[in-house]
Amino acid sequence: MLKFIHLTDTHLVPAGRALYGTDPAWRLRRAVGSILLEHADAAFVVITGDLTHWGEPAAYEALREELAPLPMPVHLLVGNHDDRAAFQAAFPQAPTDASRFVQSAFSAGGVRHVLLDSNEPGVSWGVFCERRAAWLAQELASSGDEPVHLYLHHPPFPVGIPAMDRISLRDSAPLRMALAPHAKRLRHLFFGHLHRPLAGSWLGIPVSTV
């Protein structure tokens, strides 16, 4: 059995500042404490984007400090609130594809875990362009027959909440085309963005967010 932790939408701001009267770092600190106490045996943690609220370098520094106690690998995606350049400066070890999108894949527990980048500077909705899709198609074609977990910030389908559907993935066609030849291997899509728990299926793929 593979055990891992899915977090999303931490929305950190620079240390000492509040966001809408709350402290996102305090909330993340509570989550990290829970992981250390109850789930230290997890294979990894993945955070599906909106790591920070405004994308400031100091917010990424705060994120790095809050995640430092975790003993397992932490895999980070970028969302619409993130700044890709500031993220990459703060986390230079985070893998990217040849186009510098924050996309990568790794194997754990007999599963291929594929992390995708739907950030598009200047807009709140998600974009998954032909270049990103080409990387995904190549990754899936070259990764054997392992089952696949996908991780993405923006849901690639409407969820029935108009305000969120307007800023979900704008065009899912490149993503769908890259996935189609590998449909039988796709075990789950984990995403963020909604700030609500939701589960269901899309194209026959089980999906969930937290």
Side-chain angles (χ1 to χ4, degrees):
M1 182 180 72
L2 173 66
K3 178 179 182 178
F4 65 95
I5 305 295
H6 175 203
L7 303 176
T8 194
D9 292 80
T10 47
H11 285 270
L12 259 67
V13 294
R17 287 171 49 185
L19 179 66
Y20 305 121
T22 67
D23 181 1
W26 179 84
R27 293 199 299 264
L28 178 57
R29 201 171 306 133
R30 292 289 299 273
V32 168
S34 175
I35 294 169
L36 293 173
L37 180 65
E38 301 170 297
H39 304 290
D41 59 335
F44 61 88
V45 174
V46 61
I47 308 180
T48 49
D50 280 2
L51 308 169
T52 68
H53 193 68
W54 299 116
E56 310 102 320
Y60 290 109
E61 292 174 11
L63 177 68
R64 192 171 58 236
E65 292 178 7
E66 297 298 339
L67 297 177
L70 292 172
M72 69 285 290
V74 180
H75 302 278
L76 304 174
L77 281 68
V78 290
N80 51 290
H81 278 265
D82 288 305
D83 181 282
R84 191 181 290 112
F87 165 77
Q88 291 171 329
F91 294 91
Q93 77 281 10
T96 62
D97 66 14
S99 298
R100 297 289 289 163
F101 293 116
V102 184
Q103 303 199 132
S104 62
F106 64 96
S107 293
V111 175
R112 192 67 174 168
H113 303 271
V114 182
L115 285 62
L116 303 175
D117 183 338
S118 59
N119 169 285
E120 186 70 9
V123 300
S124 295
W125 57 81
V127 172
F128 197 74
C129 61
E130 298 291 347
R131 285 187 296 161
R132 286 175 255 209
W135 176 88
L136 173 59
Q138 177 60 35
E139 161 58 32
L140 292 174
S142 62
S143 60
D145 58 0
E146 283 184 307
V148 174
H149 283 180
L150 301 163
Y151 304 84
L152 184 68
H153 180 68
H154 296 84
F157 49 84
V159 300
I161 304 171
M164 300 307 298
D165 289 342
R166 286 193 290 271
I167 57 170
S168 292
L169 198 68
R170 183 54 59 97
D171 178 11
S172 65
L175 175 62
R176 287 186 280 111
M177 291 179 64
L179 296 177
H182 308 278
K184 293 182 178 180
R185 298 172 54 204
L186 306 177
R187 295 293 185 267
H188 206 98
L189 167 64
F190 299 88
F191 61 97
H193 193 54
L194 298 183
H195 294 218
R196 298 162 174 86
L198 180 147
S201 65
W202 172 67
L203 305 179
I205 310 167
V207 301
S208 65
T209 185
V210 295

